[in-house]
Amino acid sequence: MHKPSFLALLLAAGMTTAAMAQQAPEKIKTKVKRKAKTEASATTAPEAGPTKQAPVPADWAQNYAETITQADLRQHLTVLASDAYEGRETGEKGQKMAAEYIANRFKELGLTGPVQGSDNPYLQHFTMVRSTWADGATLKVGGQSYAWLTDFYAYGTTGFAQETAVQPVFAGYGIEQEGYSDYAALGDVKGKDLLILLGEPQTSKGTALLGKEGQNSKWGQDFRAKLQLASQKGARSVFFVDFNPNSNFQKLAARMTPYISRPSIAFKDAKPEATAPQPSLCRRRLGISY
């Protein structure tokens, strides 16, 4: 059987009292009514006061992003990407023009230049060294000389600014992976010059031993993996030797010449050990890398 609720009882009590008031006004009782007020007051929760919401942190990235307009981008990029800036290559006229342009923009915006002691507080000056391989370089092995871009080439930074004699350490194919290592018997090669064969071990039938299902592994497909490994081990330089009779050195050298002739740039105070050796290939079963 459904039990009437407290509110229903109060309503019923009110209705009964009203009926009694019509019949006998002198017998009206108010105790039930006062009791109802007391009960209702006891069960009413106090109203909660207003809560203070924590301030939302400003999203500066979003705020500044919203200030970028198509018109601003067109205005500045039209200048910086123009032919007058000549590509903005490091150390060249166009790069210095671009730096000056941006510094002036900072000044217009009222930003404080953070560089103390500079002739321009928005610019930090530093020194870099540009170097390139000289034409007419030669490589001598025993009593035989090899000509630059005819028999060998090299690129990248080098620790051999002057004519230098080296005694390379033969590191096989220069491979190290689970179950196979050309470095296991060499010990520490830090600071040494390594002589590494291009390609990878093969069977008598010419099938690669380290790849899956007879396919070449990464070591046989890209010599840069070997170079990276030698660099991680601290080698000073790497001489790559090509024994493949089908190699077309002239074609390869012609393709690489634009990159080889481009000067390399490095910080003047850079530590030699921070510079990784760079690869090179060479014809006539000989290679050199600095």
Side-chain angles (χ1 to χ4, degrees):
M1 182 176 182
H2 180 69
K3 183 177 181 180
S5 66
F6 178 65
L7 179 59
L9 291 175
L10 290 179
L11 292 175
M15 291 173 61
T16 304
T17 302
M20 292 175 63
Q22 293 176 359
Q23 295 177 3
E26 70 279 5
K27 293 184 179 181
I28 294 175
K29 296 182 179 181
T30 59
K31 290 184 178 181
V32 174
K33 195 171 184 179
R34 287 196 299 270
K35 183 177 180 182
K37 286 182 178 180
T38 304
E39 294 283 352
S41 178
T43 57
T44 301
E47 294 184 2
T51 58
K52 187 176 181 181
Q53 188 175 8
V56 179
D59 186 349
W60 295 111
Q62 180 65 28
N63 291 345
Y64 284 113
E66 291 176 353
T67 68
I68 300 174
T69 65
Q70 187 179 45
D72 280 342
L73 290 175
R74 181 180 293 110
Q75 174 188 347
H76 300 303
L77 293 179
T78 299
V79 175
L80 294 171
S82 67
D83 292 343
Y85 284 68
E86 302 175 351
R88 307 176 307 281
E89 187 172 353
T90 302
E92 298 296 336
K93 172 186 172 183
Q95 179 263 319
K96 296 176 182 178
M97 291 172 60
E100 191 70 23
Y101 180 89
I102 296 172
N104 289 335
R105 181 58 179 156
F106 288 167
K107 185 177 181 180
E108 292 171 4
L109 293 172
L111 301 178
T112 301
V115 185
Q116 298 180 359
S118 174
D119 58 341
N120 186 331
Y122 301 99
L123 296 177
Q124 180 180 6
H125 300 288
F126 52 89
T127 303
M128 302 194 75
V129 178
R130 181 185 290 112
S131 60
T132 186
W133 291 91
D135 291 334
T138 59
L139 176 67
K140 296 180 180 180
V141 179
Q144 186 173 358
S145 294
Y146 297 89
W148 174 255
L149 293 182
T150 300
D151 302 308
F152 79 99
Y153 70 80
Y155 65 88
T157 56
T158 173
F160 305 136
Q162 306 296 330
E163 182 174 334
T164 307
V166 298
Q167 183 64 47
V169 175
F170 181 61
Y173 287 99
I175 298 174
E176 184 173 72
Q177 66 178 42
E178 184 177 357
Y180 182 94
S181 175
D182 286 309
Y183 287 94
L186 298 182
D188 187 8
V189 297
K190 186 175 181 180
K192 296 181 179 180
D193 306 292
L194 302 183
L195 186 67
I196 295 178
L197 304 176
L198 290 175
E200 61 182 318
Q202 297 181 344
T203 65
S204 58
K205 297 181 179 181
T207 303
L209 292 174
L210 302 180
K212 295 182 178 179
E213 299 179 356
Q215 299 298 317
N216 289 334
S217 69
K218 66 175 183 179
W219 307 107
Q221 296 173 345
D222 190 350
F223 62 87
R224 284 171 291 192
K226 300 180 179 184
L227 181 70
Q228 182 180 14
L229 178 60
S231 176
Q232 292 173 350
K233 291 183 174 296
R236 182 175 67 164
S237 66
V238 178
F239 293 74
F240 284 108
V241 181
D242 187 3
F243 281 94
N244 187 349
N246 298 320
S247 295
N248 190 333
F249 180 80
Q250 289 88 346
K251 182 178 180 180
L252 181 60
R255 189 178 68 194
M256 297 299 297
T257 295
Y259 301 98
I260 298 169
S261 59
R262 182 182 301 172
S264 61
I265 300 177
F267 286 101
K268 181 179 180 181
D269 300 328
K271 296 180 179 179
E273 58 268 22
T275 303
Q278 298 296 318
S280 72
L281 296 174
C282 161
R283 184 186 172 193
R284 297 185 182 176
R285 299 185 178 183
L286 188 62
I288 180 173
S289 169
Y290 297 134

